[in-house]
Every structure is written in C-alpha cells, then in structure tokens.
C-alpha cells in the first residue's frame, strides 16, 4: 500500500498510550492499509491476551473518530466536570448512559483521554498543559471501516442536543423499547 506510517509523541503526561499516524494520497490505499493494520493489531492483541471489554472488543484500543469541544463532550456524555486523581489515562464513561448504550448497540468501545492526562512531559517538565478549551479526541474500538459512520452519528447527536432534544434512558432492562419501536397507530385501533 502507498501509505506513510509515522510514530509520534503522545500528548499524555502518563505516557500510557502510543500514537501512530498514517497518511496517503489515495483514500482506497488508506482504507486497505487500515484494514490490514487492524488485522495485524488484532492478532497481536489476541496472542498477548490483551484485556477485552464486556462486549468483546479490546480495551483501550481504538481509531480516531474526531474531536469535540470540551463543552460538546460534556453535553454528549452527560458527565460532571470533576477533577480526579486516577492513574488511568482515560475518561470513565461508565457513568454515561449514552456511552453505555452506544457501545452496546454498536458493539464498539469509546475511548477519550482524561483531561488530567492531557499534556506532554519532556525531560521531567510538563509542556502543552491541559486546558478546558482544548478539544477532546474521541476514539472508537471498532473496525476502521465503521469509524466514519459512528463519528457521523456522534455529530448528529450533538446537533440534536444543541437544538434542545432530550433522550430518554430506557434503563438496563429496556422494558419500554418494544413499545417505542412499534409503528404508530394512526386510525386509533
């Protein structure tokens, strides 16, 4: 494939994740390279018994979907802006009903770097310190061919939330879902 691969520094104080950048002049070359890379990385994770989520995707492994403003991030996931002292470099999205249902419905994982981990350390000095105005990068643990579809869904959801749409939490048992999915009876029968 005609693709350039570059390993670059990660903007992470904890250095708990790596960043690989691919670039190509041809979209088809990029798509083929991403699928090949995904296969190779999946085999490596399998051979090393990498941890998986409850829905069967590798934990803390994903492809960049896009960036959200910090305000849009909190609007979408419904998380309170709190400071944590966790050694984990990712946001805890388990408190977000949207994140949980999105992951289950799409059989994927969502990974967002924790705000406290944003920034870069060089020679024991912090540079590129995190700020509330810095965009939040959203990664999806899914086959690369599905990333753009999931990212479009996220963007549309944010547009709906900004317009004032409210979404109901169906709960863990989803008892109301069959009723909500039934066709509307127009003639009152």
């Amino acid at each position: 494939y005609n693709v350039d691969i570059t390993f670059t520094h990660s903007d992470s104080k904890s250095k708990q994740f790596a960043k690989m950048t691919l670039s190509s002049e041809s979209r088809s070359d990029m798509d083929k390279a991403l699928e090949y890379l995904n296969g190779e990385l999946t085999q490596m994770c399998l051979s090393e018994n990498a941890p998986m989520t409850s829905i069967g995707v590798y934990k803390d492994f994903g492809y960049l979907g896009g960036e959200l403003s910090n305000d849009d991030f909190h609007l979408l996931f419904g998380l309170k802006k709190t400071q944590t002292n966790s050694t984990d470099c990712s946001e805890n999205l388990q408190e977000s009903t949207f994140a949980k249902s999105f992951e289950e419905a799409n059989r994927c994982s969502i990974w967002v770097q924790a705000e406290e981990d944003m920034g870069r350390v060089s020679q024991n000095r912090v540079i590129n310190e995190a700020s509330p105005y810095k965009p939040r990068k959203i990664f999806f643990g899914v086959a690369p061919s599905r990333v753009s579809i999931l990212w479009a869904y996220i963007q549309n959801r944010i547009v709906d939330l900004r317009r004032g749409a409210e979404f109901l939490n169906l709960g863990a048992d989803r008892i109301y879902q069959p009723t909500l999915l039934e066709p509307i009876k127009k003639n009152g029968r």
Side-chain angles (χ1 to χ4, degrees):
Y1 310 108
N2 191 14
V3 175
D4 293 326
I5 300 174
T6 310
F7 289 92
T8 57
H9 66 82
S10 61
D11 287 332
S12 167
K13 293 177 191 172
S14 65
K15 302 287 186 197
Q16 291 187 39
F17 68 95
K19 184 166 98 175
M20 181 174 27
T21 306
L22 281 71
S23 59
S24 174
E25 292 182 21
S26 164
R27 183 69 194 174
S28 66
D29 280 350
M30 178 64 82
D31 292 341
K32 289 175 188 172
L34 279 171
E35 289 302 325
Y36 176 78
L37 178 65
N38 187 59
E40 291 296 313
L41 291 172
T42 300
Q43 286 300 324
M44 286 182 208
C45 289
L46 185 63
S47 69
E48 295 299 319
N49 294 321
M52 298 181 97
T53 67
S54 61
I55 57 173
V57 296
Y58 289 106
K59 186 176 186 251
D60 299 334
F61 173 71
Y63 297 93
L64 179 63
E67 292 183 347
L68 297 177
S69 71
N70 208 26
D71 290 338
D72 284 346
F73 168 76
H74 288 285
L75 177 67
L76 179 66
F77 293 107
L79 300 173
K80 294 176 181 66
K81 298 180 182 183
T82 58
Q83 190 82 7
T84 63
N85 293 326
S86 172
T87 57
D88 194 3
C89 64
S90 64
E91 288 286 354
N92 180 9
L93 299 178
Q94 294 307 302
E95 296 172 12
S96 167
T97 55
F98 169 71
K100 285 193 286 189
S101 64
F102 183 88
E103 288 178 336
E104 287 174 13
N106 293 290
R107 303 238 357 117
C108 71
S109 62
I110 303 172
W111 189 90
V112 181
Q113 183 181 11
E115 189 173 322
E116 298 81 26
D117 189 56
M118 295 169 76
R120 189 161 43 110
V121 176
S122 178
Q123 298 175 348
N124 295 326
R125 239 184 44 221
V126 175
I127 54 179
N128 292 342
E129 186 67 46
S131 85
Y133 306 107
K134 220 172 181 180
R136 307 300 298 272
K137 293 180 180 176
I138 310 298
F139 295 86
F140 297 108
V142 69
S145 59
R146 294 186 51 219
V147 170
S148 61
I149 296 164
L150 297 178
W151 180 242
Y153 181 85
I154 294 282
Q155 290 175 309
N156 289 332
R157 179 73 171 234
I158 290 171
V159 168
D160 289 341
L161 288 167
R162 282 190 199 140
R163 287 190 325 202
E166 298 214 13
F167 297 90
L168 300 175
N169 178 9
L170 296 177
D173 57 7
R174 292 185 171 82
I175 192 168
Y176 302 110
Q177 190 170 13
T179 305
L180 292 171
L181 293 174
E182 285 183 14
I184 297 174
K185 298 175 183 172
K186 293 182 181 181
N187 58 6
R189 291 189 232 176

